[in-house]
Amino acid sequence: MNLHQLSTIRAGRPLIGVRDSAHPAARVLVVEQHAATAEMEQLVLAAAGYDALHVSTATQALTTIGSWKPDLVLMDLILPDLSGPEFCLRLRATSSVPILIVSTETDPDLVGLAIDAGASGYLPKPFRTVELLDRIHTGLGF
């Protein structure tokens, strides 16, 4: 069960569509060390009406989450400073924000460790855009 709730301002609005000042877009933090991949994910998210922010490391993500308050974290399992499961454990210690893993890593043990550590789901790369948006939509509880 996902206990994370969108802020009361963002919760009542459909995620895909036109933004307005009364209903800001849901926030998605992209944690990805490869700049080109992060840029592609951000473009897809922005086109779908999400507010996306990119960081390259788990340490940056943990710092950013406290101030930016994302509604979902989209992360690669392979990060330069912490393992994916370790990042999930540290994040879960302070937040219930949904975590969606998007990774080329297919080792079922590593993916399983991240899920056990608090990740909400896993989508292997490469993915279709519609799959990514469906998983994010589901992760946000819509």
Side-chain angles (χ1 to χ4, degrees):
M1 179 176 178
N2 183 351
L3 300 177
H4 179 75
Q5 298 295 315
L6 291 174
S7 74
T8 55
I9 293 174
R10 293 190 294 263
R13 151 182 206 286
L15 295 178
I16 298 176
V18 179
R19 299 181 197 183
D20 62 41
S21 60
H23 301 97
R27 292 178 171 182
V28 178
L29 180 64
V30 176
V31 187
E32 169 65 59
Q33 69 175 332
H34 300 289
T37 302
E39 182 179 5
M40 184 274 304
E41 291 171 347
Q42 285 183 282
L43 289 170
V44 167
L45 293 166
Y50 294 98
D51 187 7
L53 178 67
H54 167 241
V55 296
S56 301
T57 69
T59 303
Q60 290 171 334
L62 293 167
T63 301
T64 301
I65 286 165
S67 59
W68 196 61
K69 309 244 183 283
D71 298 305
L72 184 134
V73 174
L74 184 69
M75 65 166 282
D76 194 343
L77 273 178
I78 314 238
L79 298 171
D81 55 343
L82 290 176
S83 71
E86 180 62 27
F87 170 71
C88 291
L89 281 173
R90 291 189 187 189
L91 180 54
R92 276 295 161 260
T94 61
S95 175
S96 63
V97 64
I99 304 167
L100 176 59
I101 299 166
V102 178
S103 185
T104 57
E105 180 59 62
T106 58
D107 176 2
D109 293 332
L110 184 58
V111 172
L113 284 172
I115 297 290
D116 291 345
S120 309
Y122 166 75
L123 180 64
K125 292 178 188 172
F127 52 81
R128 291 182 8 241
T129 300
V130 69
E131 287 178 298
L132 176 64
L133 295 175
D134 284 348
R135 295 287 183 95
I136 289 171
H137 198 78
T138 300
L140 290 168
F142 294 101

